[in-house]
Amino acid sequence: MGGLGLIRNLTQGRPCNMKTHTIDPDQWVDKYSDYLFNYTITRVRDRETANDLVAETFLAGLRSMKNFKGESTERTWLVSILKRKIIDHYRRINSAKGKAEVQFTYRDQEEGDRLEEQIADLSGRNAQQLMENEELGKAIMDCLEQLNQRQAAIFKMKTLEDADTETVCNEFGITPSNLWVIIHRTRTALAKCLEKTWF
Amino acid sequence: MKQKLPLLLDCPRAAEFCDKVEYHEMDWTGKLQLRLHLLFCADCRGYWKRNRKLTQLLQKADLHTCTEQEKRQWQQQLQQAKSQESAP
């Protein structure tokens, strides 16, 4: 960090080693839309609602750009806006219904345990599994962000959207052999990136 | 995956077949060729295992991404909002 940056950080009360992040709304959709969309859909479980919430987040981010201090990354900052949007969404739903909804999953009493215990156990396991899956999803998204944007977009379309080869090739103007080379490189890079924690 | 084996498939081709199998885009003759190659090639067996594990992880993460069309729509909305803000 240069002398000027250091003086600016000190005058603004930031620690000396804190990196200042920049903001560029033109890059938001390409860089963060998949991450934000995945974050939202795991919480609202409805594609249309998730789409609206992500769009609202981008627009709210644009409006409050001047509040971005550069202390966190752009993505973290956008996620904090999105979190508020998701909470507002649930508030709207609950106020429309007049009360919060509690969901129970009933199943056969195989072991003769009390229903309450079964529910508690089930929800505990589910919560843990959900958290682990979310961590994994975040790790995958982080690894994909390190790759070339076009390469990552091709991989996502083919793998996560399960699009057929012809559709992907038409969308990106590539041949099937190009596609398989890109897929191979991306899978190798992704496996290497995830290796330490997840393999 | 450096060595070449006296089989129908060479290693780069075997790696491509490994990928295609993960996307269910390999016919039975290709699968058979791959099986034969994997019997004799430890490096490709290693790649095949890692690739399998990667597919399992991707399924477990249950990731959802937005379509290119949705992205274009958001980009448009952002551009519109930006131009409205900069207009006097």
Side-chain angles (χ1 to χ4, degrees):
Chain A
M1 184 177 286
L4 273 177
L6 186 66
I7 293 164
R8 195 166 54 234
N9 276 352
L10 286 171
T11 51
Q12 288 172 358
R14 288 180 199 148
C16 304
N17 57 351
M18 191 175 271
K19 197 176 161 191
T20 313
H21 300 275
T22 53
I23 193 162
D24 180 8
D26 291 335
Q27 299 279 319
W28 286 354
V29 174
D30 284 337
K31 279 169 105 172
Y32 311 119
S33 54
D34 281 327
Y35 183 88
L36 297 177
F37 185 77
N38 188 58
Y39 185 94
T40 318
I41 208 158
T42 51
R43 284 160 176 81
V44 299
R45 292 275 158 204
D46 176 58
R47 203 176 171 90
E48 210 175 313
T49 312
N51 190 322
D52 290 343
L53 291 172
V54 174
E56 281 175 31
T57 301
F58 283 140
L59 296 175
L62 189 72
R63 281 194 298 269
S64 53
M65 242 171 76
K66 54 184 176 299
N67 299 333
F68 181 77
K69 295 186 184 97
E71 287 167 2
S72 59
T73 62
E74 259 183 317
R75 193 178 82 179
T76 311
W77 184 70
L78 285 168
V79 168
S80 68
I81 297 174
L82 178 60
K83 276 181 189 167
R84 285 199 294 272
K85 296 278 169 203
I86 295 172
I87 292 168
D88 287 347
H89 162 74
Y90 277 110
R91 276 196 188 130
R92 272 200 303 273
I93 291 179
N94 284 337
S95 63
K97 284 183 183 172
K99 59 180 178 181
E101 221 177 62
V102 180
Q103 288 186 346
F104 290 95
T105 310
Y106 292 97
R107 58 176 192 176
D108 294 333
Q109 285 196 320
E110 299 145 358
E111 293 153 6
D113 291 333
R114 291 177 60 191
L115 190 61
E116 292 91 329
E117 286 168 8
Q118 283 186 19
I119 290 168
D121 180 41
L122 195 70
S123 60
R125 250 187 326 198
N126 275 350
Q128 197 184 348
Q129 205 168 14
L130 279 174
M131 266 169 68
E132 200 183 307
N133 291 356
E134 197 177 323
E135 276 292 305
L136 174 61
K138 190 174 174 294
I140 293 171
M141 285 296 191
D142 287 343
C143 290
L144 287 172
E145 267 181 31
Q146 290 168 26
L147 301 173
N148 169 297
Q149 268 181 28
R150 185 177 150 85
Q151 187 184 344
I154 291 169
F155 176 80
K156 281 175 193 165
M157 191 173 181
K158 177 72 188 147
T159 313
L160 306 179
E161 286 173 41
D162 208 13
D164 58 50
T165 300
E166 201 186 337
T167 314
V168 185
C169 290
N170 289 341
E171 177 72 37
F172 290 94
I174 52 174
T175 64
S177 53
N178 286 152
L179 171 74
W180 289 110
V181 169
I182 292 169
I183 293 291
H184 179 68
R185 284 181 188 160
T186 313
R187 291 186 76 92
T188 309
L190 203 53
K192 198 177 168 195
C193 181
L194 293 170
E195 198 169 27
K196 266 190 192 163
T197 325
W198 297 96
F199 271 69
Chain B
M1 280 187 276
K2 282 168 199 162
Q3 79 263 36
K4 274 203 165 185
L5 294 166
L7 286 167
L8 290 174
L9 287 181
D10 58 10
C11 292
R13 196 107 174 95
E16 187 191 321
F17 279 32
C18 283
D19 296 330
K20 285 185 177 171
V21 166
E22 297 304 322
Y23 294 87
H24 309 288
E25 292 197 24
M26 186 46 59
D27 57 18
W28 71 270
T29 48
K31 281 182 191 165
L32 191 66
Q33 279 179 301
L34 180 63
R35 284 276 162 198
L36 270 174
H37 184 92
L38 293 179
L39 272 178
F40 298 100
C41 182
D43 286 347
C44 288
R45 260 201 316 276
Y47 179 70
W48 181 75
K49 273 185 195 164
R50 275 164 67 92
N51 220 13
R52 206 70 281 279
K53 177 75 184 170
L54 181 64
T55 302
Q56 285 165 0
L57 288 176
L58 287 163
Q59 280 166 354
K60 192 179 165 199
D62 190 25
L63 288 168
H64 302 265
T65 53
C66 33
T67 62
E68 291 300 312
Q69 198 188 344
E70 283 167 329
K71 285 184 192 176
R72 279 194 284 269
Q73 198 186 334
W74 292 332
Q75 191 72 53
Q76 249 174 2
Q77 286 174 351
L78 263 176
Q79 292 304 328
Q80 270 176 9
K82 262 178 88 176
S83 56
Q84 277 169 8
E85 273 194 2
S86 59

